[in-house]
Amino acid sequence: MKNEVWAASVSARLDGAGESAEPTPRNPLLDTKVMMVDDEPLMTDLIQTYLEDAGYSQFVVTNDPCNALELLRREEPGVLLLDLMMPRMSGFELLEAIRADRTLRYIPVIVLTAADGAEAKLRALQLGATDFLAKPVDESELVLRVRNTLAFHGYYRQVLDFDAATGLPLPRLFDRGLIEVLQRHDPVGGLVALFSVQLPECRQLRETVDQTLADSLAKVMAQRLRHFAADHRADPLLATSLERAPPVCRLGVDHFGLLLEGLADVAAVEALAHRLISLLSEPVGFGHHEVAASPWIGISLSPRDGSTSEALRQAADIASTHARARGDVQYQFASADLNTRSHERFALGSQLRNAASRGELRLHYQPKVDLAGNRIVGAEALVRWQHPERGLLAPGSFIPMAEELGLIRHIGRWVIEQVCKDLADWARAGHGAIKVAVNVSKAQFMAGDLCSVLRLALFDTGVAAGQLVVELTESVLMDDVAAGMAQMHELKALGVTLSIDDFGTGYSSLSYLKQFPLDELKIDRSFVRDLPGGHADVAIVRTVVELGHSLGMSVIAEGVETEAQRECLQRLGCDRYQGYLFSKPVPEEDFLRLLAAQRGA
Ligand code: C2E
Ligand code: MG
Ligand code: MG
């Protein structure tokens, strides 16, 4: 940001802006912080007054040189005016310390010397002084020196800190941001992750085609990385302020860096790595040609892999080189123990991507039973994954991953289509028009295409909308009430039944609950478990049943395992139940056998 201001002001000066009749915009150089270190308060007051008269407004002043380094680091002034002759610590010593410091090294320093101090000037020059100013200070001389130094430094910083092809910060500036992030990092705020991203195509294009094409690819990649970092920052749950730290940088011809803060856990880092890989791998079109980059990512986490910028950079770089050398995984963590687990998940994630098309997903059906007549009145479809090596997996072991990897909509669509196909088959086989519920996750509900997916599946199979129940959890509904409400009305208009799942485990607001067009309320298993002995649970279930009925909903209890629980629920006025007592979720054939047995009975 600062460099843009500097550059803008420099070009404005060169263009002769300010001489036109237009009202002159305020010169942004004047907003630069000017720092002064001089043991004589009179001198610092005088300089400040002169500079204020010239329009400067931001000053950092100390009369004790021993404070100066700390102040410099904290305040990051655009220029330092430094007295040479001071007690306790001379200006020479301070200058030497500044030039030896990695983060302060490039701050321009104007040294205040006696007019005849040739020897002192030479020494200061050797130590890295940017310019000199004679004492006693002449006002116009002072203003000129400060302005020229700031303007020159703007160019200097642009060249020094930014990559010409992509405009991204170079490692020196990135490191400064990284140091800053690490210094103020509060572990409670989440993990800091450094991504070292290798994109070999940027080098290959330069070597096999030409520099221009290589630069164009680097530019596109830089833009994607910037958007990715900005999206991450825009998430209030994940982000903290990264205003001053550049989160993306160009580390080399085919090498980029990305810094992310406020990550909840390692799984969140993994999910971001997956997303970044798909984003960067999307082909880029150049005229008639397409280039698809193959990113290799190394990830280091602070403090696990180091607490300094060097350590983190090195760990992430080594990891990305490992990933590239291995070739079978696109990202590597710096620490070995994370990799083992992560690669398993990566492999599982890739397999999950193809599970539906390979026919590995299965539906099990669990009967919903009428409490009064103890007869099956419907079913809930629950997905399983028949993994080629691991056997039948329950949704708990892959649905969260599917959500993280953005695959849940794909799986959700498969479930809806399969349920409709099964319903049509059952009708043809004479099992009647039974109602079946599908679970819909947040991403699926929020995606906005749920209605069209349902409509299409119903149309293709000829199943009536009234046969489908959509189960939504409280958190899905409460997350974005306005959007949720609109979506629910659309579903109702389609003719499907709406059920609120796991009721009591989320934070439903009663005022919303009465507005939602819901048909069924499912009492969560946790309230059923201790029935009939748990007095609190009896009271809760009784209240929820009354609440549901008074809002015009039917009430079903899930997780019913014992006859005593069933009796209790019946006594409390619950309409239906679902649970191992009657049947576990079973494959289609077994469910149809249950239906047939009921008809025969
Ligand atoms: P849910 O919708 O609350 O489903 C009820 C879960 O309780 C099922 O677990 C079921 O097997 C289990 N259950 C049923 N009766 C009993 C009982 O008497 N005792 C005990 N201890 N458990 C019982 P399952 O099949 O493992 O599914 C877990 C969750 O996974 C479901 O919770 C649902 O949130 C999710 N899920 C399942 N299928 C899908 C799907 O197709 N799409 C989405 N988005 N989520 C799904
Ligand atoms: Mg459910
Ligand atoms: Mg449930």
Side-chain angles (χ1 to χ4, degrees):
M1 196 67 210
K2 264 187 209 160
N3 69 293
E4 284 159 21
V5 170
W6 263 311
S9 80
V10 171
S11 60
R13 229 164 42 87
L14 296 178
D15 295 347
E19 287 157 23
S20 69
E22 293 286 313
T24 337
R26 181 177 160 77
N27 183 347
L29 281 189
L30 296 174
D31 296 324
T32 313
K33 257 185 217 168
V34 178
M35 180 161 155
M36 286 174 258
V37 182
D38 196 314
D39 57 313
E40 290 173 53
L42 266 181
M43 181 55 86
T44 48
D45 285 353
L46 182 73
I47 293 180
Q48 180 162 341
T49 311
Y50 286 161
L51 290 175
E52 274 171 351
D53 288 348
Y56 291 88
S57 57
Q58 302 213 52
F59 299 95
V60 181
V61 178
T62 178
N63 302 116
D64 178 3
C66 299
N67 288 338
L69 281 178
E70 201 198 319
L71 265 180
L72 274 166
R73 280 196 198 101
R74 201 175 63 216
E75 300 288 340
E76 293 185 28
V79 62
L80 170 67
L81 298 173
L82 176 65
D83 184 28
L84 283 183
M85 298 306 154
M86 293 181 289
R88 302 216 292 151
M89 184 181 201
S90 78
F92 294 116
E93 282 172 81
L94 192 54
L95 189 55
E96 204 168 2
I98 291 169
R99 294 306 182 220
D101 186 298
R102 275 187 53 214
T103 55
L104 303 178
R105 186 177 295 169
Y106 300 98
I107 287 182
V109 181
I110 301 177
V111 165
L112 304 176
T113 58
D116 55 352
E119 200 180 313
K121 274 187 188 169
L122 188 64
R123 191 164 162 221
L125 202 62
Q126 282 166 344
L127 291 177
T130 315
D131 205 348
F132 303 96
L133 194 62
K135 271 183 166 181
V137 172
D138 171 78
E139 184 171 357
S140 49
E141 177 95 6
L142 167 77
V143 171
L144 187 78
R145 289 282 150 97
V146 168
R147 196 187 66 180
N148 286 353
T149 301
L150 287 177
F152 171 72
H153 198 63
Y155 273 134
Y156 184 57
R157 280 186 60 130
Q158 182 68 36
V159 174
L160 202 70
D161 283 342
F162 293 88
D163 172 45
T166 60
L168 287 181
L170 289 170
R172 193 188 75 88
L173 185 60
F174 186 68
D175 274 351
R176 270 184 42 200
L178 182 53
I179 290 168
E180 210 174 282
V181 167
L182 295 175
Q183 271 168 357
R184 65 175 159 73
H185 178 61
D186 173 5
V188 180
L191 295 171
V192 170
L194 181 65
F195 285 45
S196 162
V197 183
Q198 297 201 29
L199 291 160
E201 289 73 15
C202 289
R203 184 181 292 280
Q204 285 157 10
L205 277 188
R206 191 176 77 162
E207 287 166 2
T208 56
V209 187
D210 64 19
Q211 181 75 46
T212 318
L213 200 61
D215 282 350
S216 305
L217 181 67
K219 237 183 253 175
V220 175
M221 293 297 137
Q223 204 169 19
R224 288 182 183 176
L225 282 161
R226 271 204 208 99
H227 283 160
F228 186 80
D231 279 353
H232 169 69
R233 253 199 281 186
D235 184 342
L237 280 179
L238 296 175
T240 55
S241 161
L242 261 175
E243 248 167 42
R244 297 206 299 167
V248 181
C249 102
R250 186 158 194 188
L251 294 168
V253 177
D254 54 358
H255 194 183
F256 296 75
L258 172 68
L259 180 65
L260 297 171
E261 269 193 282
L263 299 152
D265 49 27
V266 175
V269 181
E270 276 176 359
L272 285 171
H274 281 267
R275 246 187 275 160
L276 184 60
I277 289 166
S278 12
L279 178 71
L280 295 178
S281 316
E282 267 172 42
V284 188
F286 296 111
H288 299 300
H289 303 286
E290 254 193 5
V291 180
S294 50
W296 307 100
I297 299 181
I299 307 167
S300 60
L301 301 173
S302 173
R304 179 194 279 262
D305 303 314
S307 48
T308 64
S309 63
E310 291 95 336
L312 279 184
R313 275 268 304 276
Q314 195 184 21
D317 287 350
I318 291 175
S320 65
T321 307
H322 272 174
R324 196 170 162 176
R326 275 185 61 148
D328 60 337
V329 286
Q330 279 190 280
Y331 71 88
Q332 282 265 107
F333 279 101
S335 41
D337 58 325
L338 285 187
N339 280 326
T340 320
R341 207 185 60 102
S342 166
H343 291 158
E344 273 171 19
R345 282 170 51 86
F346 187 81
L348 202 64
S350 325
Q351 291 168 333
L352 186 54
R353 233 171 261 281
N354 301 314
S357 57
R358 288 199 188 130
E360 292 168 3
L361 296 181
R362 305 272 179 277
L363 282 184
H364 280 191
Y365 290 95
Q366 185 174 40
K368 290 187 172 184
V369 186
D370 175 34
L371 265 164
N374 212 33
R375 292 182 68 82
I376 301 172
V377 288
E380 177 175 7
L382 294 153
V383 70
R384 270 96 184 95
W385 178 12
Q386 185 67 52
H387 189 278
E389 290 123 38
R390 298 173 188 217
L392 194 68
L393 300 180
S397 60
F398 65 91
I399 291 280
M401 189 191 314
E403 285 174 344
E404 267 172 31
L405 301 183
L407 301 173
I408 190 69
R409 285 171 62 189
H410 183 57
I411 293 178
R413 178 191 284 256
W414 179 86
V415 169
I416 289 169
E417 289 169 354
Q418 192 57 45
V419 163
C420 287
K421 279 184 204 158
D422 287 352
L423 280 171
D425 288 349
W426 300 352
R428 275 193 293 272
H431 291 287
I434 196 156
K435 271 191 158 193
V436 171
V438 291
N439 292 280
V440 166
S441 75
K442 184 152 50 191
Q444 212 180 338
F445 185 65
M446 288 300 172
D449 62 350
L450 181 58
C451 271
S452 50
V453 169
L454 284 165
R455 197 176 289 121
L456 201 65
L458 291 167
F459 178 81
D460 283 349
T461 53
V463 170
Q467 274 188 270
L468 275 193
V469 182
V470 168
E471 289 193 9
L472 302 159
T473 59
E474 283 168 277
S475 60
V476 172
L477 296 182
M478 294 300 153
D479 203 47
D480 182 346
V481 171
M485 189 79 84
Q487 175 93 251
M488 271 188 280
H489 280 291
E490 211 184 323
L491 289 168
K492 284 299 294 177
L494 184 65
V496 301
T497 302
L498 295 183
S499 172
I500 183 159
D501 202 355
D502 305 341
F503 187 78
T505 55
Y507 298 94
S508 283
S509 148
L510 292 183
S511 66
Y512 287 132
L513 201 61
K514 75 171 185 209
Q515 294 172 42
F516 289 150
L518 294 162
D519 306 286
E520 181 187 77
L521 188 157
K522 278 187 106 169
I523 301 176
D524 189 64
R525 197 164 66 222
S526 56
F527 302 106
V528 173
R529 199 175 39 223
D530 295 332
L531 294 184
H535 296 305
D537 287 330
V538 170
I540 289 172
V541 170
R542 179 182 291 121
T543 313
V544 172
V545 169
E546 275 173 23
L547 172 78
H549 285 164
S550 62
L551 292 174
M553 297 182 225
S554 65
V555 180
I556 177 165
E558 58 182 4
V560 179
E561 294 180 350
T562 67
E563 183 54 31
Q565 289 169 340
R566 197 198 68 81
E567 273 171 16
C568 178
L569 286 162
Q570 191 171 7
R571 225 178 328 112
L572 295 172
C574 194
D575 304 300
R576 292 194 276 274
Y577 77 99
Q578 197 181 330
Y580 295 171
L581 173 66
F582 192 93
S583 167
K584 288 194 167 187
V586 289
E588 184 192 8
E589 317 80 77
D590 297 344
F591 177 67
L592 293 180
R593 240 173 261 140
L594 288 172
L595 275 185
Q598 176 166 291
R599 269 203 311 279

